[in-house]
């Protein structure tokens, strides 16, 4: 009994130590908005300063008070820390929005905005984003950027320097059925490589926006929110504010580029090898689906008489790329598009992009595996004695991975239907319920119906529910769900 108590105390110490370090690390993200506030001489400087001091102190105290040499994380600790930190992450992100007197946001509104930012959802409860101070406009884009690849992966690059094993955190945070894949032999190098690649793509995207005609500040904010597939904009009209085909093309192009597995970007940028791009079946599948959907959408909006042919193509390319990859940037009048077209695109938001990217949704690789499995079942009916296997890029998909894909697909649809039913029972019409849940659980951010212009129309209970949906979608359900299993808590 004493041993059991000691063990529990030991693990509580580990969890507190790690959460303390991560809170301390995340508090440093308040420094760039403070700098922006100083540049533009805004009172919001003091809001970010207060947030920084509070969580820098709390995180540092918790970290130092539980410091112990040779800390090693188990799988169970990794899952618990991930979920706890995303809850803390959400509260810290909401804190500046909540304590600022100019906003006068309730806690639930501030929390919704914070969760939406860090989960790269991009849904907002703020009715007029354009009136926000520059520091907050940048802060919202920064939330997208940090949440895009995951602050946990950034932390893993630092953990070995502290004598803390970070493999369990990395495996818990990274999406997809192939969590053990590494770009480099050492995990810290893998994390640093991911972030450097991510940062480089953000710089190129920002530069492209600037060349296309955006002001520098807007280009930076949109650049980092686009590569994170986050969707926060500096204007209430989103990309539609600029009424520019060039800017829409840049947004659509980088939405697609950011939805590609970052392992491939690493190979192309660092190793200068293009062959993996030509041989990656998930990428080919993703681009094929994207091309088909863009073509269908362009025909639908042209047939509806909304635009001429060239405008139909560019608007369809941008909005399809944005919604399919769960970016969430929008045209000025997307809510006026034919409802069947928007519903079609919202269904495609469940598809997402590639494994190992910053997108939400179920992801292309899982759909590719399910497609090949379904095709095999048809072949098996015709040839019952045939021995068939599923291969992706020449590698056989094991039964363990196949079971994981099927169970994830089932749980994802189950939770989607559950959230839709709850919203519907709260009094929202079925279209609004479906669009709102699709926007949140897929981390896509564009609503429809009552939430087309803002998610502030939701009641408080619905906002808390959608915060849960956003975190479930971001963490791909399992890390959260496993905490409710009694087997998880057994020693």
């Amino acid at each position: 009994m004493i041993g059991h108590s000691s063990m529990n105390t030991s693990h509580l110490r580990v969890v507190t130590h790690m959460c303390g370090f991560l809170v301390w690390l995340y508090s440093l993200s308040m420094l760039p908005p403070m700098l922006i506030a100083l540049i533009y001489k805004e009172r919001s400087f003091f809001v970010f300063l207060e947030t920084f001091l509070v969580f820098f102190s709390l995180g540092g105290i918790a970290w130092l008070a539980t410091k112990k040499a040779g800390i090693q994380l188990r799988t169970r600790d990794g899952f618990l820390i991930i979920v706890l930190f995303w809850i803390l992450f959400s509260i810290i992100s909401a804190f500046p929005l909540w304590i600022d007197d100019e906003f006068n946001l309730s806690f639930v509104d501030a929390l919704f905005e914070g969760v939406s930012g860090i989960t790269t959802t991009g849904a907002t409860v703020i009715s007029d984003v354009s009136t926000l101070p520059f520091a907050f406009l940048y802060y919202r884009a920064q939330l997208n950027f940090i949440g895009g690849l995951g602050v946990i992966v950034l932390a893993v690059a630092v953990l070995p320097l502290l004598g803390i094993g970070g493999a369990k955190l990395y495996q818990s945070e990274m999406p997809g059925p192939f969590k053990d894949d590494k770009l480099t032999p050492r995990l810290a190098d893998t994390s640093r490589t991911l972030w450097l690649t991510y940062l480089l793509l953000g710089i190129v995207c920002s530069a492209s926006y600037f060349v296309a005609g955006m002001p520098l500040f807007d280009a930076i904010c949109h650049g980092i929110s686009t590569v994170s597939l986050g969707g926060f904009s500096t204007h209430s009209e989103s990309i539609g504010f600029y009424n520019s085909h060039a800017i829409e093309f840049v947004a659509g192009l980088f939405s697609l580029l950011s939805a590609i597995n970052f392992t491939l970007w690493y190979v192309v940028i660092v190793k200068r090898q293009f062959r993996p791009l030509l041989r990656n079946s998930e990428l080919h599948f993703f681009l094929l689906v994207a091309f088909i959907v863009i073509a269908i959408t362009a025909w639908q909006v042209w047939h509806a008489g909304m635009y001429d042919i060239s405008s139909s193509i560019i608007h369809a390319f941008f909005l399809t790329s944005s919604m399919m990859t769960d970016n969430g940037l929008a045209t000025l009048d997307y809510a006026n598009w034919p409802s069947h077209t928007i519903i079609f695109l919202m269904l495609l938001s469940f598809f997402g992009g590639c494994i190992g990217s910053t997108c939400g949704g179920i992801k292309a690789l899982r759909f590719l595996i399910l497609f090949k499995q379904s095709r095999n079942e048809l072949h098996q009916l015709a040839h019952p004695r045939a021995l068939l296997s599923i291969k992706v890029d020449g590698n056989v998909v094991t039964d363990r991975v196949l079971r994981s894909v099927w169970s994830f697909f089932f749980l994802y649809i189950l939770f989607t239907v559950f959230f839709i039913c709850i919203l519907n029972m709260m009094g929202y019409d079925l279209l609004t319920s479906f669009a709102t849940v699709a926007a949140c659980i897929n981390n896509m951010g564009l609503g429809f119906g009552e939430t087309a212009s803002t998610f502030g129309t939701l009641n408080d209970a619905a906002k808390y529910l959608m915060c849960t949906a956003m975190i479930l979608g971001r963490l791909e359900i399992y890390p959260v769900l496993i905490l409710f299993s009694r087997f998880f808590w057994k020693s």
Side-chain angles (χ1 to χ4, degrees):
M1 194 71 178
I2 295 177
H4 179 74
S5 175
S6 175
M7 181 179 65
N8 287 339
T9 302
S10 174
H11 289 301
L12 180 61
R13 184 188 184 100
V14 171
V15 171
T16 304
H17 182 77
M18 283 304 308
C19 286
F21 167 71
L22 293 171
V23 167
W24 174 85
L25 180 67
Y26 185 56
S27 71
L28 301 178
S29 69
M30 300 299 153
L31 299 180
M34 288 168 58
L35 179 61
I36 298 295
L38 284 176
I39 293 174
Y40 289 97
K41 299 178 181 179
E42 295 173 345
R43 291 180 60 252
S44 54
F45 170 83
F46 298 101
V47 173
F48 290 107
L49 176 62
E50 182 179 346
T51 305
F52 167 72
L53 293 175
V54 168
F55 292 102
F56 182 88
S57 302
L58 291 177
I61 291 171
W63 177 35
L64 294 175
T66 54
K67 192 171 184 179
K68 182 180 179 181
I71 293 178
Q72 291 296 322
L73 299 178
R74 304 184 308 175
T75 299
R76 183 167 66 177
D77 299 327
F79 282 118
L80 184 58
I81 290 170
I82 290 296
V83 176
L84 285 177
F85 182 67
W86 273 89
I87 295 173
L88 294 171
F89 201 4
S90 302
I91 295 172
I92 298 171
S93 300
F95 199 76
L97 298 162
W98 184 40
I99 65 175
D100 193 292
D101 294 335
E102 293 183 8
F103 287 165
N104 196 28
L105 290 180
S106 64
F107 176 74
V108 64
D109 282 344
L111 182 65
F112 185 96
E113 197 77 10
V115 172
S116 179
I118 61 162
T119 58
T120 70
T121 301
T124 183
V125 295
I126 300 173
S127 57
D128 191 359
V129 171
S130 305
T131 61
L132 296 180
F134 285 98
F136 275 103
L137 290 175
Y138 170 78
Y139 175 66
R140 294 166 80 247
Q142 180 183 272
L143 285 179
N144 282 169
F145 191 71
I146 294 176
L149 202 58
V151 72
I152 305 300
V153 181
L154 175 63
V156 167
V158 184
L159 295 181
L161 303 178
L162 306 174
I164 301 171
K168 300 304 180 185
L169 285 180
Y170 177 84
Q171 292 171 9
S172 301
E173 169 68 5
M174 291 302 289
F178 305 121
K179 293 175 181 284
D180 296 326
D181 291 352
K182 299 179 183 179
L183 308 183
T184 58
R186 296 179 65 246
L187 190 59
D189 291 338
T190 296
S191 180
R192 282 191 287 267
T193 299
L194 283 169
W195 268 97
L196 287 173
T197 305
Y198 185 51
L199 181 61
L200 179 60
L201 192 61
I203 292 172
V204 174
C205 183
S206 297
S208 299
Y209 274 129
F210 182 71
V211 171
M214 266 193 191
L216 181 60
F217 179 80
D218 285 6
I220 293 173
C221 290
H222 282 94
I224 61 179
S225 67
T226 297
V227 298
S228 66
L229 299 176
F232 271 155
S233 175
T234 55
H235 298 280
S236 299
E237 302 88 350
S238 192
I239 292 295
F241 170 84
Y242 304 96
N243 194 26
S244 167
H245 284 184
I247 289 176
E248 286 190 30
F249 176 78
V250 170
L253 177 63
F254 278 90
S255 292
L256 293 177
L257 295 179
S258 301
I260 296 174
N261 192 325
F262 273 82
T263 302
L264 297 178
W265 283 127
Y266 165 78
V267 172
V268 170
I269 296 173
V270 178
K271 295 191 174 182
R272 299 180 182 179
Q273 297 177 9
F274 293 91
R275 185 173 297 178
L277 289 176
L278 302 176
R279 294 184 174 182
N280 188 271
S281 57
E282 181 194 21
L283 176 59
H284 298 166
F285 182 61
F286 166 67
L287 293 178
L288 175 63
V289 172
F291 175 79
I292 293 173
V293 175
I294 290 170
I296 293 173
T297 305
W299 181 85
Q300 286 184 342
V301 294
W302 173 77
H303 186 262
M306 299 192 66
Y307 315 107
D308 58 30
I309 294 178
S310 60
S311 295
S312 295
I313 292 174
I314 192 65
H315 289 320
F317 171 71
F318 161 61
L319 193 61
T320 298
S321 300
S322 179
M323 293 184 71
M324 179 176 165
T325 62
D326 302 310
N327 189 347
L329 294 171
T331 56
L332 183 62
D333 61 345
Y334 90 93
N336 296 324
W337 282 26
S339 57
H340 65 273
T341 301
I342 297 300
I343 293 173
F344 173 62
L345 293 178
M346 287 190 164
L347 285 171
L348 262 295
S349 70
F350 286 89
F351 183 82
C354 299
I355 291 289
S357 71
T358 58
C359 71
I362 297 174
K363 301 189 173 63
L365 182 58
R366 290 192 177 99
F367 276 103
L368 179 60
I369 291 174
L370 292 176
F371 170 76
K372 290 191 173 188
Q373 169 67 6
S374 299
R375 186 181 59 183
N376 274 8
E377 288 299 317
L378 290 175
H379 293 168
Q380 197 79 60
L381 290 174
H383 305 281
R385 297 183 179 181
L387 298 176
L388 304 175
S389 60
I390 301 173
K391 291 185 178 181
V392 176
D393 295 330
N395 299 315
V396 176
V397 177
T398 64
D399 288 341
R400 172 69 184 87
V401 171
L402 189 59
R403 290 196 304 270
S404 174
V405 170
W406 273 112
S407 61
F408 176 80
F409 182 80
F410 168 75
L411 288 173
Y412 204 93
I413 300 303
L414 179 66
F415 274 99
T416 298
V417 173
F418 171 76
F419 287 131
I420 291 173
C421 290
I422 296 297
L423 282 185
N424 191 233
M425 286 189 290
M426 287 181 178
Y428 298 99
D429 63 86
L430 193 56
L431 177 60
T432 297
S433 300
F434 165 73
T436 302
V437 172
C440 292
I441 198 168
N442 294 327
N443 305 129
M444 184 263 294
L446 291 179
F448 199 53
E450 292 183 34
T451 55
S453 58
T454 175
F455 285 72
T457 56
L458 298 175
N459 61 42
D460 288 355
K463 289 172 186 173
Y464 281 121
L465 186 69
M466 290 302 98
C467 285
T468 304
M470 287 186 275
I471 292 177
L472 277 174
R474 178 63 180 86
L475 294 182
E476 298 203 330
I477 298 176
Y478 278 115
V480 178
L481 204 59
I482 196 174
L483 298 186
F484 294 91
S485 169
R486 63 178 181 177
F487 296 102
F488 175 83
W489 297 102
K490 288 185 175 179
S491 301

